[in-house]
Amino acid sequence: MIYAGEIRPLELSDTKLASEPDPKRSEKCSNITVMANDKRRILAVDDEEDILEILSFNLSGEGYKVDTCISAEEALRKDLSGYDLFLLDVMMGPISGFRLAEKIRKELTLTTPVIFLTARDSENDRITGFNLGADDYLAKPFSIRELSARVKAILRRSSPEQVTLETVAGDFMVDTANKLIYSEGVPLELTRKEYEILALFICNAGKIFSRNDILSKVWGDEVIVTDRTVDVTIARIRKKMGEKGNMIKNKSGYGYYFGD
Amino acid sequence: MIYAGEIRPLELSDTKLASEPDPKRSEKCSNITVMANDKRRILAVDDEEDILEILSFNLSGEGYKVDTCISAEEALRKDLSGYDLFLLDVMMGPISGFRLAEKIRKELTLTTPVIFLTARDSENDRITGFNLGADDYLAKPFSIRELSARVKAILRRSSPEQVTLETVAGDFMVDTANKLIYSEGVPLELTRKEYEILALFICNAGKIFSRNDILSKVWGDEVIVTDRTVDVTIARIRKKMGEKGNMIKNKSGYGYYFGD
DNA sequence: CATTCAGGTTACAAAATTGTTACAAATATG
DNA sequence: CATATTTGTAACAATTTTGTAACCTGAATG
């Protein structure tokens, strides 16, 4: 388990756990409704590779799309208009985070929110930051939880559209907020892997997933487990689904899918 | 500390709240009664007319009901029991913000949160402030953003999920005014953290909270503690709840929730 | 038929998560 | 300042979840 506040080590196996299974399309197949929920994009600019990795790893884990730049110059060569938030280190040479923010605001005329990262916490920096329209200010070393709370707060403020998403297929409903799947109104008692697989199936009813598809989406690309694990897990899900268990179909040689 | 105070029979209303956020869930969590409240009320006390105007204007814009007083004496002539938050300037003569807070806490025995405003940022002031139960501390000049973020944080923390009066779920009742939770009519002797966690659970019965959710809502975003602290605190709550302790459920890998 | 292959099932071991306890640190109280 | 209470942590125990291997089934193939 990762302890709050400490900077998470970059370990691989943890990647998938933090992020929600996020269906980011808005499609209708048969009687299935999925509500869109696109990832927010964050650009982090810092001259320390380590910090960038920490930011990227942790915020990705929270479901954000994170790009990084090692310098303000690199950032300025990019198209900055597509981002929802900038995380800027104050002290980078030759163009500081403040200067970069100024350019973003005045030359590119973007109102994208900015959070400054700084090692110092001097009053001077703080004031300059706020004059440039910083939305927040985070002194290094910062706790990951603090960072993610602020990011969340800022993004919520700037785009109040946050949909709790529920997906219904047949007699099944997925409640992603509470990690529950209802079968005919009754919640199934699923473990984490079981939930993620069944949610994947229900949210993409009819679509065939090979074992590798499932491994990569539920377990993540770094984790190495036998693909027969998928079979076993699906057997467990089916058992918990009772008579409805046969709604998880298998197409021999291709994979599994949900349907009736 | 025991939250002393007479055990008064609280009237239970049968009115179902129209705006229950989660209809599919209200069946499961049987008889939940929530008495909602309107705008949060803030009282700002400062001897500078300008500051009062700034506070009033900005916080009103955020949807709060803001009253102002130009002196501690004026504030003390008012009925202070109806407010959800006090913003007190420290340096006012002849009764300072600290003295006023002390009176509010000790003579009026209100637990209403307080944010001190001060020009100085000396360590002494800070310590005195927190001893008096300041919930936060804001050094002038402050940014409006900073102010509003803190106000929001404090108000969210002090009355979780905008519910003020009483919340009942099953045989439990939360009296947020007196910080008491009754189990079958008998008040539990909960400490502050214990109270806040259990209140959060009861007021959001059925909703799953991860350890980080709980840390962020109960401990706040800046405090850094091990997330296992949550487990221990919950164990303590369960013990104090006796046989009802198993109403705090855990969903392995996801978090805790309240329900039966 | 025997054989092979894909998938279903079971039992058990490993790993992860949660529960509990005791004690230390921090805070409040007088 | 001394004392009591509350809060935080670490260590260990219990439980739950997950992964693997082995075995079973039935269809397809020769």
Short mmCIF file of all heavy atoms in Angstrom, two decimals, chain A residues 191-193 219 225-226 229 236, chain D residues 10 17-23:
data_model
loop_
_atom_site.label_atom_id
_atom_site.label_comp_id
_atom_site.label_asym_id
_atom_site.label_seq_id
_atom_site.Cartn_x
_atom_site.Cartn_y
_atom_site.Cartn_z
N THR A 191 -15.20 -8.93 -6.23
CA THR A 191 -13.91 -8.39 -5.82
C THR A 191 -13.45 -7.42 -6.89
O THR A 191 -14.12 -7.23 -7.91
CB THR A 191 -12.87 -9.50 -5.67
OG1 THR A 191 -12.57 -10.02 -6.96
CG2 THR A 191 -13.39 -10.61 -4.78
N ARG A 192 -12.28 -6.84 -6.65
CA ARG A 192 -11.84 -5.78 -7.53
C ARG A 192 -11.64 -6.25 -8.97
O ARG A 192 -12.15 -5.65 -9.91
CB ARG A 192 -10.54 -5.19 -7.00
CG ARG A 192 -10.33 -3.81 -7.46
CD ARG A 192 -9.59 -2.94 -6.49
NE ARG A 192 -8.48 -3.62 -5.84
CZ ARG A 192 -7.44 -2.98 -5.36
NH1 ARG A 192 -7.36 -1.68 -5.49
NH2 ARG A 192 -6.49 -3.63 -4.75
N LYS A 193 -10.90 -7.30 -9.14
CA LYS A 193 -10.64 -7.78 -10.50
C LYS A 193 -11.96 -8.23 -11.14
O LYS A 193 -12.21 -7.96 -12.31
CB LYS A 193 -9.67 -8.96 -10.47
CG LYS A 193 -8.27 -8.58 -9.99
CD LYS A 193 -7.43 -8.04 -11.12
CE LYS A 193 -5.98 -7.81 -10.69
NZ LYS A 193 -5.77 -6.52 -10.06
N TRP A 219 -5.47 -5.87 -15.72
CA TRP A 219 -4.26 -6.06 -14.93
C TRP A 219 -3.20 -5.00 -15.25
O TRP A 219 -2.35 -4.71 -14.45
CB TRP A 219 -3.70 -7.46 -15.17
CG TRP A 219 -4.28 -8.51 -14.28
CD1 TRP A 219 -3.69 -9.02 -13.15
CD2 TRP A 219 -5.52 -9.22 -14.42
NE1 TRP A 219 -4.50 -9.98 -12.59
CE2 TRP A 219 -5.62 -10.12 -13.34
CE3 TRP A 219 -6.55 -9.15 -15.34
CZ2 TRP A 219 -6.73 -10.96 -13.16
CZ3 TRP A 219 -7.65 -9.98 -15.18
CH2 TRP A 219 -7.73 -10.87 -14.10
N VAL A 225 0.87 -12.14 -15.52
CA VAL A 225 0.16 -13.29 -14.97
C VAL A 225 -0.23 -14.21 -16.13
O VAL A 225 -0.34 -13.78 -17.27
CB VAL A 225 -1.10 -12.88 -14.19
CG1 VAL A 225 -0.75 -12.15 -12.91
CG2 VAL A 225 -2.02 -12.06 -15.05
N THR A 226 -0.41 -15.45 -15.80
CA THR A 226 -0.86 -16.43 -16.77
C THR A 226 -2.19 -16.01 -17.36
O THR A 226 -3.04 -15.47 -16.64
CB THR A 226 -1.09 -17.78 -16.07
OG1 THR A 226 0.02 -18.04 -15.25
CG2 THR A 226 -1.27 -18.89 -17.07
N THR A 229 -5.46 -17.15 -15.80
CA THR A 229 -6.03 -16.42 -14.67
C THR A 229 -7.35 -15.77 -15.07
O THR A 229 -8.29 -15.69 -14.28
CB THR A 229 -5.05 -15.34 -14.19
OG1 THR A 229 -3.83 -15.98 -13.82
CG2 THR A 229 -5.60 -14.60 -12.99
N ARG A 236 -15.30 -17.32 -11.72
CA ARG A 236 -15.77 -16.82 -10.42
C ARG A 236 -16.90 -15.83 -10.61
O ARG A 236 -17.89 -15.84 -9.88
CB ARG A 236 -14.61 -16.18 -9.67
CG ARG A 236 -13.63 -17.20 -9.12
CD ARG A 236 -12.35 -16.55 -8.61
NE ARG A 236 -11.45 -17.55 -8.06
CZ ARG A 236 -10.12 -17.45 -8.05
NH1 ARG A 236 -9.55 -16.36 -8.54
NH2 ARG A 236 -9.39 -18.42 -7.55
P DA D 10 5.67 4.08 11.25
OP1 DA D 10 6.98 4.69 10.93
OP2 DA D 10 4.68 3.87 10.19
"O5'" DA D 10 5.94 2.69 11.98
"C5'" DA D 10 6.42 2.71 13.32
"C4'" DA D 10 6.26 1.33 13.91
"O4'" DA D 10 4.90 1.15 14.36
"C3'" DA D 10 6.55 0.19 12.92
"O3'" DA D 10 7.33 -0.77 13.59
"C2'" DA D 10 5.16 -0.33 12.58
"C1'" DA D 10 4.40 -0.07 13.87
N9 DA D 10 2.96 0.08 13.74
C8 DA D 10 2.28 0.74 12.75
N7 DA D 10 0.98 0.73 12.90
C5 DA D 10 0.79 0.03 14.07
C6 DA D 10 -0.38 -0.34 14.79
N6 DA D 10 -1.61 -0.02 14.40
N1 DA D 10 -0.21 -1.04 15.93
C2 DA D 10 1.02 -1.37 16.31
N3 DA D 10 2.20 -1.08 15.73
C4 DA D 10 1.99 -0.38 14.60
P DT D 17 -13.02 -10.49 -0.83
OP1 DT D 17 -13.74 -9.26 -1.18
OP2 DT D 17 -13.69 -11.80 -0.87
"O5'" DT D 17 -11.72 -10.57 -1.74
"C5'" DT D 17 -10.82 -9.49 -1.72
"C4'" DT D 17 -9.59 -9.86 -2.52
"O4'" DT D 17 -8.91 -10.96 -1.89
"C3'" DT D 17 -9.88 -10.30 -3.96
"O3'" DT D 17 -9.17 -9.41 -4.79
"C2'" DT D 17 -9.41 -11.75 -4.01
"C1'" DT D 17 -8.37 -11.79 -2.89
N1 DT D 17 -8.12 -13.10 -2.23
C2 DT D 17 -6.83 -13.60 -2.22
O2 DT D 17 -5.90 -13.04 -2.75
N3 DT D 17 -6.69 -14.79 -1.57
C4 DT D 17 -7.68 -15.51 -0.94
O4 DT D 17 -7.42 -16.58 -0.38
C5 DT D 17 -9.00 -14.95 -0.98
C7 DT D 17 -10.14 -15.65 -0.33
C6 DT D 17 -9.15 -13.77 -1.62
P DT D 18 -9.26 -9.54 -6.37
OP1 DT D 18 -8.95 -8.23 -6.93
OP2 DT D 18 -10.49 -10.26 -6.74
"O5'" DT D 18 -8.02 -10.49 -6.66
"C5'" DT D 18 -6.73 -10.04 -6.29
"C4'" DT D 18 -5.70 -11.11 -6.61
"O4'" DT D 18 -5.91 -12.25 -5.77
"C3'" DT D 18 -5.77 -11.62 -8.06
"O3'" DT D 18 -4.51 -11.36 -8.62
"C2'" DT D 18 -6.09 -13.11 -7.92
"C1'" DT D 18 -5.62 -13.41 -6.51
N1 DT D 18 -6.30 -14.52 -5.78
C2 DT D 18 -5.53 -15.53 -5.24
O2 DT D 18 -4.32 -15.57 -5.37
N3 DT D 18 -6.23 -16.49 -4.56
C4 DT D 18 -7.60 -16.54 -4.36
O4 DT D 18 -8.11 -17.45 -3.72
C5 DT D 18 -8.34 -15.46 -4.95
C7 DT D 18 -9.84 -15.41 -4.79
C6 DT D 18 -7.67 -14.50 -5.62
P DG D 19 -4.15 -11.82 -10.09
OP1 DG D 19 -3.15 -10.87 -10.59
OP2 DG D 19 -5.38 -12.08 -10.84
"O5'" DG D 19 -3.42 -13.22 -9.85
"C5'" DG D 19 -2.15 -13.21 -9.21
"C4'" DG D 19 -1.55 -14.60 -9.26
"O4'" DG D 19 -2.35 -15.48 -8.44
"C3'" DG D 19 -1.50 -15.22 -10.66
"O3'" DG D 19 -0.19 -15.74 -10.85
"C2'" DG D 19 -2.58 -16.31 -10.63
"C1'" DG D 19 -2.66 -16.67 -9.15
N9 DG D 19 -3.97 -17.10 -8.67
C8 DG D 19 -5.17 -16.47 -8.88
N7 DG D 19 -6.17 -17.07 -8.29
C5 DG D 19 -5.60 -18.17 -7.66
C6 DG D 19 -6.18 -19.20 -6.87
O6 DG D 19 -7.36 -19.34 -6.57
N1 DG D 19 -5.22 -20.11 -6.42
C2 DG D 19 -3.88 -20.04 -6.71
N2 DG D 19 -3.12 -20.98 -6.20
N3 DG D 19 -3.32 -19.08 -7.44
C4 DG D 19 -4.23 -18.19 -7.88
P DT D 20 0.19 -16.46 -12.23
OP1 DT D 20 1.60 -16.14 -12.45
OP2 DT D 20 -0.83 -16.16 -13.25
"O5'" DT D 20 0.08 -17.99 -11.85
"C5'" DT D 20 0.73 -18.44 -10.67
"C4'" DT D 20 0.52 -19.92 -10.49
"O4'" DT D 20 -0.78 -20.16 -9.91
"C3'" DT D 20 0.59 -20.74 -11.78
"O3'" DT D 20 1.62 -21.69 -11.62
"C2'" DT D 20 -0.80 -21.39 -11.91
"C1'" DT D 20 -1.35 -21.30 -10.49
N1 DT D 20 -2.82 -21.10 -10.37
C2 DT D 20 -3.55 -21.93 -9.57
O2 DT D 20 -3.06 -22.84 -8.94
N3 DT D 20 -4.90 -21.64 -9.52
C4 DT D 20 -5.56 -20.62 -10.19
O4 DT D 20 -6.76 -20.47 -10.07
C5 DT D 20 -4.73 -19.79 -11.02
C7 DT D 20 -5.33 -18.67 -11.78
C6 DT D 20 -3.40 -20.06 -11.08
P DA D 21 2.07 -22.56 -12.87
OP1 DA D 21 3.55 -22.61 -12.82
OP2 DA D 21 1.40 -22.13 -14.10
"O5'" DA D 21 1.51 -23.98 -12.45
"C5'" DA D 21 1.64 -24.40 -11.10
"C4'" DA D 21 0.71 -25.57 -10.85
"O4'" DA D 21 -0.65 -25.09 -10.75
"C3'" DA D 21 0.72 -26.61 -11.97
"O3'" DA D 21 0.82 -27.90 -11.38
"C2'" DA D 21 -0.61 -26.40 -12.67
"C1'" DA D 21 -1.49 -25.91 -11.52
N9 DA D 21 -2.63 -25.11 -11.91
C8 DA D 21 -2.69 -24.14 -12.86
N7 DA D 21 -3.87 -23.56 -12.99
C5 DA D 21 -4.64 -24.22 -12.05
C6 DA D 21 -6.00 -24.07 -11.68
N6 DA D 21 -6.83 -23.20 -12.24
N1 DA D 21 -6.47 -24.87 -10.69
C2 DA D 21 -5.63 -25.75 -10.13
N3 DA D 21 -4.33 -25.97 -10.39
C4 DA D 21 -3.90 -25.16 -11.37
P DA D 22 1.09 -29.17 -12.27
OP1 DA D 22 2.25 -29.86 -11.66
OP2 DA D 22 1.11 -28.80 -13.70
"O5'" DA D 22 -0.22 -30.02 -11.98
"C5'" DA D 22 -0.79 -30.05 -10.68
"C4'" DA D 22 -2.21 -30.53 -10.81
"O4'" DA D 22 -3.04 -29.41 -11.22
"C3'" DA D 22 -2.38 -31.62 -11.88
"O3'" DA D 22 -3.03 -32.74 -11.32
"C2'" DA D 22 -3.22 -30.94 -12.96
"C1'" DA D 22 -3.96 -29.85 -12.18
N9 DA D 22 -4.35 -28.69 -12.98
C8 DA D 22 -3.59 -28.02 -13.90
N7 DA D 22 -4.23 -27.02 -14.48
C5 DA D 22 -5.48 -27.04 -13.89
C6 DA D 22 -6.63 -26.25 -14.08
N6 DA D 22 -6.69 -25.21 -14.93
N1 DA D 22 -7.71 -26.53 -13.33
C2 DA D 22 -7.65 -27.56 -12.48
N3 DA D 22 -6.63 -28.39 -12.22
C4 DA D 22 -5.57 -28.07 -12.97
P DC D 23 -3.22 -34.05 -12.19
OP1 DC D 23 -2.86 -35.19 -11.32
OP2 DC D 23 -2.60 -33.86 -13.51
"O5'" DC D 23 -4.81 -34.04 -12.37
"C5'" DC D 23 -5.66 -33.66 -11.29
"C4'" DC D 23 -7.00 -33.27 -11.86
"O4'" DC D 23 -6.91 -32.00 -12.55
"C3'" DC D 23 -7.52 -34.28 -12.91
"O3'" DC D 23 -8.82 -34.69 -12.54
"C2'" DC D 23 -7.51 -33.50 -14.20
"C1'" DC D 23 -7.72 -32.07 -13.69
N1 DC D 23 -7.32 -31.00 -14.63
C2 DC D 23 -8.23 -29.98 -14.93
O2 DC D 23 -9.35 -30.00 -14.41
N3 DC D 23 -7.88 -29.00 -15.81
C4 DC D 23 -6.66 -29.02 -16.37
N4 DC D 23 -6.36 -28.04 -17.20
C5 DC D 23 -5.71 -30.05 -16.07
C6 DC D 23 -6.07 -31.01 -15.21
#
